[in-house]
Amino acid sequence: MNPFSILKLGAGVLVVIGAYFFGLSQGHDSEQLKSAQKQVRELTETIQRYETKQKEQTIALAELRVSESAARADYDRMRDRIHDLETRAKTAPARDTVRCIKLGAECRRLLQEARGVINYCRKAL
């Protein structure tokens, strides 16, 4: 065996070993790329779910605000009517009746607030 053929044989072995390690490295990188792409898809899906949930909560909150505004307007109207009745009430039974109406209006307001919050919780959660 002459030195030139030994050199060719050594170069061939080095090329084969280099190609093996290059292929191994590329395969490892390919697996990492697939794993990273899978993680990106999962994160994108998670973000979309959270965005959907956030939109639902925003809509529910807007509906709650509208409901509260309507309840507040209704309560103010009832309070004004009760005030008119109070000013016209001259006897004790009439004043008692006005107090009962006041309590009824307050109960109604509290119930409307509670319903609004319950509806919000149902829609948001």
Side-chain angles (χ1 to χ4, degrees), residues 71-90:
R72 199 175 308 114
D74 188 38
Y75 176 71
D76 288 341
R77 190 173 54 253
M78 290 283 283
R79 193 177 61 207
D80 290 342
R81 287 176 50 198
I82 291 170
H83 180 69
D84 290 343
L85 288 173
E86 278 180 333
T87 56
R88 285 189 270 158
K90 305 271 189 233

Side-chain angles (χ1 to χ4, degrees), residues 24-92:
L24 187 66
S25 173
Q26 289 292 357
H28 182 68
D29 291 346
S30 175
E31 288 299 317
Q32 286 181 341
L33 180 62
K34 287 178 186 177
S35 175
Q37 287 173 340
K38 181 182 175 189
Q39 289 176 347
V40 167
R41 276 192 304 272
E42 290 173 355
L43 290 173
T44 302
E45 290 170 1
T46 302
I47 288 171
Q48 288 174 346
R49 279 195 309 270
Y50 280 116
E51 285 176 345
T52 303
K53 192 170 186 174
Q54 181 185 14
K55 287 177 186 175
E56 291 171 355
Q57 288 178 343
T58 302
I59 290 169
L61 184 61
E63 290 174 355
L64 175 64
R65 287 180 179 155
V66 168
S67 173
E68 280 184 287
S69 177
R72 199 175 308 114
D74 188 38
Y75 176 71
D76 288 341
R77 190 173 54 253
M78 290 283 283
R79 193 177 61 207
D80 290 342
R81 287 176 50 198
I82 291 170
H83 180 69
D84 290 343
L85 288 173
E86 278 180 333
T87 56
R88 285 189 270 158
K90 305 271 189 233
T91 64

Side-chain angles (χ1 to χ4, degrees), residues 89 91-102:
T91 64
R95 279 183 240 129
D96 288 342
T97 303
V98 169
R99 270 189 241 124
C100 289
I101 292 172
K102 245 187 207 180

